[in-house]
């Protein structure tokens, strides 16, 4: 017998967080996120996204056993900026149980409709600048940090619940970045950027907060107008980047500047997923020591790259990527991944190909009219 429950109490939240563990066998490539990160998304006091909207989490049970979960969230800033009334869903996890999944989506749809939404779209955890989509191909490939990984049956559950594909993406990886020669990434126009006064630099360890604020401003300037993107406030940025701050390698976050003004960024971080697999969701686990001390990592992952719109098309991204490859070599990294690129984003796909990357996962977003 199925029952749907609203997540309200601290005990409910712990049940919501712990549910995913039962769905993924030990041999799965899935990497459990830190419990504190998921709990932070659920907490209206800690999550600034709720201050301009509303959210509610649900757990579905078959008998006494929790078999699925979902978080639905209505963001008024999206409604105003994009002139479409969308309710998001995210943090979706469910057993291969179409009836249970349908109950979750019905609960999410009812909540979104009660908050003036006309479309249910997702998965977003919780926005378009965070993890999004379900895996539809590449289930044997191990995800890098900040990549989505879901079981093979998820896209079937969504389609049986009446959701249809609305956006497709791919993740990318080069398993041997050391074979790349940085100078080959730069054509004549990239080399000319130096004569025009474009310079690159890593973020400053002593002024990390200020430089990360430059990154936020660049992301907002570069992505405004993109599908589902809403400018990120400082508080939202701190929520999203907070878990990454202890593991940042400043040498891998590169700013392109003209006369000291940032115009582009490539934001890469060490891929700590092999460490996170051993933490069991908690930084109190003994393996966290190697995380905090900077385990001897050989892999990195690009979280984002962005260029101000007036400088796009000039080769800034290739200029930054060449410097990133040099930095990776100096720091001893051997592989590089990209979290996701839209399948219709020809410019970014060209960047991945220039880095000799291969697509490792196909991802799909879904939506349903309400």
């Amino acid at each position: 017998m199925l029952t749907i429950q609203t997540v309200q109490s601290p005990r409910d939240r712990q049940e919501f967080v712990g549910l995913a563990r039962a769905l993924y066998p030990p041999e799965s490539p899935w990497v459990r996120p830190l419990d504190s990160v998921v709990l932070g998304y659920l907490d209206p006091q800690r999550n600034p996204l709720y201050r301009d909207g509303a959210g509610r989490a649900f757990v579905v049970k078959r008998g006494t056993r929790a078999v699925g979960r979902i978080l639905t969230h209505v963001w008024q800033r999206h409604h105003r900026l994009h002139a479409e009334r969308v309710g998001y869903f995210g943090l979706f996890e469910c057993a291969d149980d179409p009836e249970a999944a349908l109950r979750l989506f019905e609960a999410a749809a009812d909540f979104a409709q009660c908050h003036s939404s006309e479309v249910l779209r997702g998965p977003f955890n919780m926005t378009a600048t965070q993890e999004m989509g379900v895996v539809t191909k590449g289930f044997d490939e191990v995800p890098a940090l900040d990549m989505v990984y879901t079981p093979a049956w998820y896209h079937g559950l969504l389609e049986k619940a009446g959701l249809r594909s609305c956006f497709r993406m791919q993740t990318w990886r080069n398993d041997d970045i050391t074979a790349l020669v940085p100078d080959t990434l730069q054509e004549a126009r990239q080399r000319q950027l130096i004569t025009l006064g474009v310079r690159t630099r890593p973020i400053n360890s002593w002024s990390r907060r200020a430089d990360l604020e430059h990154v936020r401003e660049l992301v907002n300037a570069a992505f405004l107008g993109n599908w589902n993107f809403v400018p990120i406030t400082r508080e939202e940025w701190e929520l999203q980047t907070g878990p990454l701050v202890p593991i940042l390698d400043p040498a891998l976050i590169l700013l392109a500047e003209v006369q000291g003004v940032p115009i582009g960024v490539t934001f890469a971080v060490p891929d700590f997923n092999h460490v996170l697999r051993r933490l069991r969701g908690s930084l109190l686990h003994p393996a966290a020591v190697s995380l905090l001390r900077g385990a001897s990592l050989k892999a990195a992952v690009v979280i984002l790259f962005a260029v101000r719109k007036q400088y796009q098309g000039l080769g800034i991204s290739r200029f930054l990527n060449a410097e990133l490859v040099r930095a990776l070599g100096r720091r001893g990294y051997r592989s590089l991944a990209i979290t996701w690129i839209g399948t219709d984003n020809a410019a970014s796909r060209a960047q991945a190909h220039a880095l000799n990357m291969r697509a490792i996962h196909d991802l799909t977003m879904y939506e349903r009219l309400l």
Side-chain angles (χ1 to χ4, degrees):
M1 187 173 187
L2 286 173
T3 56
I4 191 88
Q5 296 181 4
T6 300
V7 174
Q8 295 178 310
S9 68
R11 182 177 179 179
D12 293 339
R13 292 174 186 167
Q14 289 294 340
E15 182 177 48
F16 183 99
V17 169
L19 184 149
R21 294 197 300 273
L23 301 178
Y24 295 90
E27 66 274 13
S28 168
W30 177 71
V31 178
R32 177 180 173 181
L34 293 174
D35 292 354
S36 60
V37 172
V38 181
L39 289 170
Y41 288 164
L42 297 176
D43 189 347
Q45 302 303 314
R46 294 169 58 190
N47 190 339
L49 290 165
Y50 291 110
R51 296 172 196 167
D52 191 55
R56 185 165 297 169
F58 301 93
V59 167
V60 63
K61 294 185 176 182
R62 188 169 286 282
T64 59
R65 184 170 67 93
V67 294
R69 74 183 196 190
I70 200 168
L71 171 67
T72 182
H73 170 249
V74 177
W75 202 11
Q76 298 300 333
R77 280 163 55 210
H78 178 102
H79 289 195
R80 294 191 295 269
L81 181 63
H82 292 280
E84 62 171 0
R85 297 188 173 277
V86 174
Y88 292 150
F89 70 90
L91 298 180
F92 172 75
E93 302 283 2
C94 191
D96 191 3
D97 186 334
E99 187 182 8
L102 181 60
R103 291 292 298 273
L104 287 172
F105 288 116
E106 286 175 344
D110 288 345
F111 180 85
Q113 278 188 302
C114 288
H115 289 80
S116 305
S117 295
E118 299 171 348
V119 178
L120 182 67
R121 184 178 296 158
F124 288 94
N125 299 342
M126 297 177 59
T127 74
T129 56
Q130 296 168 271
E131 302 93 343
M132 49 193 274
V134 298
V135 176
T136 55
K137 183 180 178 182
F139 299 101
D140 294 332
E141 297 281 359
V142 176
L145 185 73
D146 214 37
M147 282 185 185
V148 168
Y149 184 86
T150 57
W153 62 81
Y154 273 22
H155 68 281
L157 294 181
L158 272 66
E159 290 173 357
K160 289 175 183 176
L163 290 100
R164 295 295 175 259
S165 169
C166 62
F167 187 67
R168 297 182 186 277
M169 305 158 282
Q170 290 179 310
T171 64
W172 297 78
R173 177 182 289 131
N174 181 333
D175 295 308
D176 185 13
I177 203 74
T178 64
L180 275 180
V181 179
D183 287 342
T184 64
L185 299 176
Q186 296 183 339
E187 301 168 345
R189 64 173 183 167
Q190 278 82 43
R191 290 189 287 271
Q192 188 181 20
L193 292 173
I194 297 176
T195 66
L196 296 177
V198 179
R199 299 289 183 269
T200 64
R201 68 170 178 87
I203 65 169
N204 191 316
S205 296
W206 301 105
S207 57
R208 184 176 301 185
R209 183 178 294 272
D211 275 345
L212 288 177
E213 180 62 13
H214 288 320
V215 175
R216 181 183 73 87
E217 292 170 351
L218 279 168
V219 169
N220 285 343
F223 295 163
L224 185 63
N226 287 11
W227 183 77
N228 270 275
F229 179 75
V230 175
I232 310 167
T233 68
R234 184 172 298 183
E235 287 180 313
E236 292 162 1
W237 181 243
E238 290 176 354
L239 174 75
Q240 294 176 33
T241 60
L244 297 175
V245 169
I247 63 173
L248 291 181
D249 182 343
L252 304 187
I253 305 174
L254 300 172
L255 293 168
E257 297 180 331
V258 173
Q259 296 185 3
V261 178
I263 62 169
V265 62
T266 291
F267 192 123
V269 299
D271 181 9
F272 275 97
N273 258 7
H274 78 283
V275 179
L276 291 175
R277 287 178 70 88
R278 305 199 301 270
L279 296 190
R280 300 177 185 172
S282 173
L283 283 174
L284 299 178
H285 191 278
V289 174
S290 63
L291 173 68
L292 298 176
R293 289 181 178 175
S296 56
L297 297 176
K298 301 299 182 183
V301 53
V302 176
I303 302 297
L304 62 89
F305 42 83
V307 177
R308 291 187 187 274
K309 290 188 181 295
Q310 58 268 46
Y311 289 92
Q312 292 176 6
L314 300 179
I316 302 296
S317 289
R318 281 210 177 200
F319 190 59
L320 282 165
N321 285 342
E323 293 304 313
L324 175 62
V325 171
R326 290 190 180 94
L328 291 167
R330 289 192 296 267
R331 306 287 286 181
Y333 294 92
R334 299 193 61 85
S335 71
L336 181 67
I338 296 176
T339 52
W340 65 264
I341 296 174
T343 56
D344 60 351
N345 188 338
S348 294
R349 288 170 64 86
Q351 296 295 325
H353 287 301
L355 291 166
N356 286 346
M357 290 185 165
R358 62 184 177 93
I360 57 174
H361 304 105
D362 286 2
L363 304 170
T364 303
M365 299 288 302
Y366 291 84
E367 67 181 15
R368 188 180 90 183
L369 296 178
L370 301 178

